[in-house]
Amino acid sequence: MTTVLRIVLILASLLTTAMIIRKIRQSKVQIEDGVFWVFVSLILILFSIFPRTADILSRLAGTYSTSNFIFLFVIFLLEKKEREESHEEQV
């Protein structure tokens, strides 16, 4: 994982966390959604601090590069959250 990608991941994660915490305080987002986004931010921070983990997972998933794996991983998390929300609406 390149240094630029690591820096971008850290900055994006910190900005997302700060924005979500601010919106929770203003009661503009539900706590469950806020927890999800903070969780995603923490995972991205862990991937940027320990890039070897993301590299290994990237190879196991068979993606071409680590950045592609991270995009795929985030898309997977968003899809999973969307399915859970649609399931809750049906019940």
Side-chain angles (χ1 to χ4, degrees):
M1 181 183 309
T2 65
T3 305
V4 173
L5 179 60
R6 291 175 70 183
I7 291 170
V8 168
L9 282 176
I10 290 172
L11 291 176
S13 299
L14 292 175
L15 287 173
T16 301
T17 303
M19 183 183 72
I20 291 298
I21 289 173
R22 192 173 119 242
K23 291 208 179 267
I24 288 173
R25 286 185 181 164
Q26 295 173 347
S27 298
K28 291 185 177 180
V29 70
Q30 293 181 359
I31 299 280
E32 295 86 14
D33 293 334
V35 169
F36 170 78
W37 285 107
V38 170
F39 173 73
V40 170
S41 296
L42 290 175
I43 289 175
L44 292 177
I45 288 173
L46 288 175
F47 280 162
S48 60
I49 292 173
F50 305 107
R52 194 82 179 124
T53 304
D55 292 337
I56 291 169
L57 291 173
S58 172
R59 269 187 258 130
L60 289 174
T63 57
Y64 180 71
S65 68
T66 305
S67 60
N68 289 347
F69 168 74
I70 291 172
F71 287 132
L72 180 68
F73 183 73
V74 171
I75 290 169
F76 170 76
L77 289 177
L78 291 173
E79 179 67 27
K80 186 175 184 320
K81 176 148 179 63
E82 182 63 30
R83 287 182 187 265
E84 287 176 2
E85 286 181 0
S86 67
H87 179 67
E88 289 174 2
E89 289 176 3
Q90 292 176 355
V91 174

